[in-house]
Amino acid sequence: MPRLCVVCKEERASVKRPKTGEQLCRNCFYHVFEIEVHCTITDNKLFKSGDRVAIAASGGKVLAHIMKTLNDRYNYGLDLFLLSVDEGITGYRDDSLETVKRNQQQYNLPLKIVSYGELYGWTMDEIVKEVGLKNNCTFCGVFRRQALDRGAVMLNTDHIVTGHNADDIAETVLMNILRGDIARLERCTEICTTGDGRIRRSKPFKYAYEKEIVMYAYFKKLDYFSTECVYSPNSYRGHARTFLKDLEAIRPSAIIGEAFQIKQEVKLPTQGVCSRCGYMSSNELCKACVLLEGLNRGLPRLGIGKTNRLRKIHGEMPENTATMLHFSQLQIDGENGKSESDEGKKRR
Ligand code: SF4
């Protein structure tokens, strides 16, 4: 005898929820998925009526569909925009941006695309040529975060929503534990943070499992781009993801990172602004400016890792002395044969 949906008890169950193991019919699965995201939004008071919200949608994701659906259904009163980042990855981002452009037509939402090439003078393809495949994601992550904030400012929006889901957060928690980065542990599980100046950044999919998002897109036949980045197989996050997928197979609740609580007495760094570009930073220079300094001077490893020279200098010297030393150190490196590349001189 066919198993009935545990919610409506009328239709035949055709979906087993990865999150709970419950057997549901498709319509009840859609309803439960949408209601859970709606509750995440309302319980955490993510928006207020009249907010201008940029949907970070680089891969034509389910987030745009859900935000549009819930905004219309529950009258959130939001002005929605699509915001995409073009990292300059041939064969990956150029394809996924085509999906986003189709989404713009389907949902009739304004679209803004910001590119690394325009903002930083470097595409990811060029950065990978310079730094290799080991640390490329460090550059990409730092630049993307800033690019989204800058795109949101261009759109004159108050708020960015990102598609980060429970799996993404679990991966970040694991990576921060393995790196011993206590300061980031608490911040990475927050549902809402503040970016550049007044822009809030939130995660309506914080409690949604990636498998359920993919199932939702598949059953709803949404225009969804799911190809992996060509540079991802070597990424640290990729290994963390594989590990968590193995854990999830044994214990699905391993994905929910909410149980992970940081003791309040952990001291977090003080937030200031970068002395060069004005972006938020807890150091004299923001991470993006440090990475760009290295790229432009032909020293791409300068800003990578915790023990980079700049951070050592900043940790040991008063701030203004540290900056002077930073630049004199670069000079010395140049004189030692690692001189600024011609390509680097042309860039910011
Ligand atoms: Fe960027 Fe790395 Fe993600 Fe590719 S895998 S999009 S290089 S962060």
Side-chain angles (χ1 to χ4, degrees), residues 231-242:
Y231 302 133
S232 86
N234 293 306
S235 73
Y236 191 34
R237 180 175 289 274
H239 293 293
R241 181 174 304 147
T242 305

Side-chain angles (χ1 to χ4, degrees), residues 142-308:
V142 171
F143 289 172
R144 186 188 298 113
R145 183 170 181 87
Q146 244 193 51
L148 281 175
D149 279 350
R150 294 191 191 285
V153 170
M154 291 174 203
L155 284 169
N156 191 26
T157 52
D158 319 288
H159 206 129
I160 302 171
V161 287
T162 64
H164 289 105
N165 55 47
D167 296 57
D168 297 323
I169 296 168
E171 288 162 14
T172 309
V173 166
L174 180 62
M175 287 159 64
N176 283 333
I177 290 172
L178 295 176
R179 288 184 185 125
D181 196 338
I182 301 299
R184 287 216 175 99
L185 266 176
E186 184 177 19
R187 202 170 154 81
C188 77
T189 61
E190 287 173 357
I191 191 160
C192 192
T193 53
T194 307
D196 191 10
R198 63 193 168 80
I199 299 169
R200 280 153 58 85
R201 185 185 285 252
S202 59
K203 310 177 185 96
F205 284 167
K206 178 180 175 182
Y207 302 106
Y209 277 35
E210 186 170 84
K211 281 182 181 165
E212 299 203 353
I213 295 171
V214 173
M215 279 167 71
Y216 183 89
Y218 178 76
F219 291 140
K220 283 254 177 191
K221 299 189 172 40
L222 299 182
D223 206 348
Y224 181 74
F225 186 87
S226 61
T227 304
E228 288 247 339
C229 168
V230 290
Y231 302 133
S232 86
N234 293 306
S235 73
Y236 191 34
R237 180 175 289 274
H239 293 293
R241 181 174 304 147
T242 305
F243 172 69
L244 281 163
K245 290 283 174 234
D246 289 344
L247 273 187
E248 184 189 7
I250 303 164
R251 185 188 297 214
S253 63
I255 296 298
I256 286 286
E258 183 67 353
F260 192 85
Q261 294 288 344
I262 311 295
K263 288 189 179 147
Q264 289 304 310
E265 60 263 29
V266 172
K267 194 172 180 304
L268 299 174
T270 317
Q271 196 86 275
V273 291
C274 172
S275 63
R276 184 170 298 173
C277 72
Y279 188 74
M280 63 176 176
S281 173
S282 48
N283 290 304
E284 170 77 8
L285 295 180
C286 71
K287 183 78 175 170
C289 281
V290 172
L291 292 172
L292 283 171
E293 183 79 38
L295 280 172
N296 292 335
R297 289 182 176 262
L299 300 167
R301 296 188 57 79
L302 186 74
I304 298 168
K306 285 183 150 188
T307 54
N308 70 75

Side-chain angles (χ1 to χ4, degrees), residues 29-30 33-34 37 55-70 80 82 99-100 103 106-107 109 161-165 204-205 208-226:
F29 171 67
Y30 301 149
F33 183 84
E34 289 162 5
V37 179
I55 304 166
S58 295
K61 302 268 168 47
V62 183
L63 185 60
H65 173 85
I66 287 282
M67 285 299 298
K68 172 102 174 100
T69 303
L70 298 182
L80 297 176
L82 293 174
T99 313
V100 176
N103 285 167
Q106 289 157 2
Y107 303 131
L109 297 175
V161 287
T162 64
H164 289 105
N165 55 47
F205 284 167
Y209 277 35
E210 186 170 84
K211 281 182 181 165
E212 299 203 353
I213 295 171
V214 173
M215 279 167 71
Y216 183 89
Y218 178 76
F219 291 140
K220 283 254 177 191
K221 299 189 172 40
L222 299 182
D223 206 348
Y224 181 74
F225 186 87
S226 61

Side-chain angles (χ1 to χ4, degrees), residues 87 89 92 124 136-137 140-141 144 229 231-232:
E87 297 92 344
I89 302 174
Y92 169 63
M124 271 313 292
N136 54 303
C137 294
C140 194
R144 186 188 298 113
C229 168
Y231 302 133
S232 86

